Amino acid sequence: MYIIPAIDVLDKKVVRLREGSYEDVTTYDISLEDQIKKYHANGTEMVHIIDLNGAKGDFSNQEYLFDIVRRTDMKVQYGGGVRSIEKVKELIDAGVFRVIVGTQAITNPSFLEELSKLNEGRVKYANRIVIAIDVLDEVIKYSGWLESSPIKLIEYIDKCLALGFFRFLCTDISKDGKMGGAGIELYKKLLTHSPIIKLIGSGGISSMKDLENLNELGGLESCVVGKAIYENKISIEEIKDWNLKTLIKF
């Protein structure tokens, strides 16, 4: 299980939300550029960047973010406001390592079907697409966690698999930003139902012990860690050491 440091951006500032609430924001005194450089200097190969403005339909951050993404040597897993097939292609063609799709995949029934057709050409996009599933009490949330979907969680997983998408970023909203432990029971349910999925865990990770507990599940490809780093609960050096051991095992 590989650890991916997270950077959430709101109004061009590095922040964290509590349970997805835009009314409960912690702002950190470091720029996006400096935070990426800090991770890179400590041997991290991948970073998880979310445009929180874009997630709720405000694209004022995008040019700023795209410019930074183009200039970094880090592998970027990027999400927030990816609403069209054209945007997915633009990001991947520009060098974004993985593109996260969430709201559009849930609200537009044809979006994933159209996106799946990209797998028929020379470049296979399925390995570069991450399906975001943000869950609160087994209800899928979208639009920056402001809306609820009638689609059942397991049914949605099955639909995505049938279309050729296998990598999922699952955030347990009830855990996110609280640093009270990860959503192990939720991940266990998903992995029991579909052991073949590439699952990325997110939300609630507050210590190396939480990472060890997630690792013991045996099925997570990676996990995203954000607030615990900024609050000095997990050090970048600990992440570096963990990831080096993970790569050695592979």
Side-chain angles (χ1 to χ4, degrees):
M1 183 185 75
Y2 194 84
I3 302 170
I4 308 174
I7 309 177
D8 291 353
V9 181
L10 181 65
D11 300 329
K12 300 181 181 179
K13 297 176 182 178
V14 175
V15 305
R16 289 297 291 170
L17 306 184
R18 181 181 172 90
E19 291 188 70
S21 173
Y22 285 77
E23 303 302 318
D24 194 349
V25 181
T26 301
T27 302
Y28 297 97
D29 188 23
I30 188 169
S31 70
L32 174 59
E33 299 97 320
D34 288 343
Q35 190 65 43
I36 290 175
K37 289 176 182 176
K38 188 175 180 181
Y39 289 141
H40 201 195
N42 281 274
T44 300
E45 296 183 358
M46 185 182 299
V47 65
H48 174 92
I49 298 177
I50 298 297
D51 176 7
L52 292 173
N53 292 84
K56 58 177 182 175
D58 168 13
F59 303 111
S60 58
N61 272 346
Q62 284 202 340
E63 284 306 315
Y64 165 74
L65 293 173
F66 289 176
D67 181 59
I68 292 172
V69 167
R70 283 190 291 264
R71 289 189 283 110
T72 183
D73 292 328
M74 294 270 276
K75 294 178 180 177
V76 174
Q77 181 168 280
Y78 182 96
V82 180
R83 300 284 196 263
S84 68
I85 303 298
E86 291 71 25
K87 182 59 70 178
V88 172
K89 293 175 68 175
E90 175 189 341
L91 287 167
I92 290 180
D93 291 346
V96 170
F97 186 68
R98 291 179 187 159
V99 176
I100 303 167
V101 296
T103 296
Q104 190 73 355
I106 294 169
T107 60
N108 182 349
S110 64
F111 180 77
L112 284 180
E113 293 178 11
E114 293 177 28
L115 192 57
S116 70
K117 294 176 182 176
L118 296 180
N119 294 321
E120 298 170 3
R122 180 176 59 84
V123 179
K124 305 302 181 185
Y125 279 68
N127 197 43
R128 308 286 292 278
I129 300 297
V130 179
I131 307 295
I133 306 179
D134 302 331
V135 181
L136 181 62
D137 300 326
E138 297 198 17
V139 174
I140 298 175
K141 308 287 281 188
Y142 63 94
S143 290
W145 302 346
L146 301 174
E147 305 290 340
S148 300
S149 170
I151 303 173
K152 300 296 183 183
L153 177 59
I154 296 301
E155 290 177 9
Y156 187 56
I157 291 277
D158 290 343
K159 174 186 175 181
C160 294
L161 286 172
L163 290 170
F165 300 105
F166 51 82
R167 182 169 282 106
F168 299 88
L169 170 67
C170 186
T171 300
D172 188 335
I173 298 173
S174 69
K175 306 288 187 180
D176 191 74
K178 290 184 173 180
M179 297 198 301
I184 290 178
E185 292 305 314
L186 173 61
Y187 304 145
K188 188 181 296 184
K189 178 175 182 176
L190 296 180
L191 290 167
T192 298
H193 175 73
S194 303
I196 65 170
I197 65 175
K198 301 289 187 181
L199 185 61
I200 305 169
S202 173
I205 298 169
S206 62
S207 65
M208 295 304 295
K209 180 61 177 177
D210 288 335
L211 292 170
E212 291 167 4
N213 291 339
L214 285 173
N215 197 44
E216 287 176 3
L217 281 177
L220 266 72
E221 178 186 64
S222 54
C223 65
V224 171
V225 179
K227 187 174 183 179
I229 298 172
Y230 300 108
E231 300 293 325
N232 298 313
K233 303 296 183 180
I234 299 175
S235 72
I236 295 177
E237 289 75 20
E238 285 174 316
I239 292 174
K240 176 183 177 180
D241 291 344
W242 177 289
N243 283 342
L244 283 173
K245 291 175 184 176
T246 299
L247 292 173
I248 290 171
K249 289 179 182 179
F250 285 150

